[in-house]
Each structure stands twice: as C-alpha cells, then as structure tokens.
Amino acid sequence: MGQVAACANPIAADTSSVNHPNSYDLRQFSSGVGVISVPLKDKGALNQTYVFLRVERPFMP
C-alpha cells in the first residue's frame, strides 16, 4: 500500500468492523489512470492476509 500511496493521492479510507478475529481495511487513491483501491482482508482464523488491487478507469465513450 505504501508504494501506491507514493504515486497517488489518498481519497478515502474505510476500516469497517467485521466478524472477530477478522479485519478489513480499504484505502482508495486517485491517480492519472483512475481510482486505485487497495483492500486488506485479514483472516485471523486462517492466519492469512489477502491484499487486492483494483484500478477503475473513467468511462470514455
């Protein structure tokens, strides 16, 4: 997430609560290509963290 933050502007953060012992942290950034979303999903029972990267480009007809 640090590398995305170094080249894009933060626009939103969501640390909604989820079922214990899991956690969820969503950070969104604005860049020249569109909105970059980086959600972190920590699965405590599995002792694993899932990181996803999504880039949403603006619609251009």
Side-chain angles (χ1 to χ4, degrees):
M1 187 169 347
Q3 292 178 344
V4 173
C7 63
N9 300 315
I11 57 173
D14 180 10
T15 56
S16 302
S17 62
V18 293
N19 295 332
H20 180 75
N22 297 334
S23 68
Y24 177 79
D25 183 11
L26 171 65
R27 303 295 169 109
Q28 290 184 309
F29 304 88
S30 174
S31 76
V33 298
V35 175
I36 302 170
S37 299
V38 184
L40 303 173
K41 297 180 181 183
D42 186 39
K43 301 292 189 177
L46 299 175
N47 199 27
Q48 295 178 344
T49 299
Y50 299 113
V51 180
F52 300 90
L53 179 66
R54 181 179 68 217
V55 177
E56 296 177 59
R57 296 179 152 218
F59 176 73
M60 295 185 176

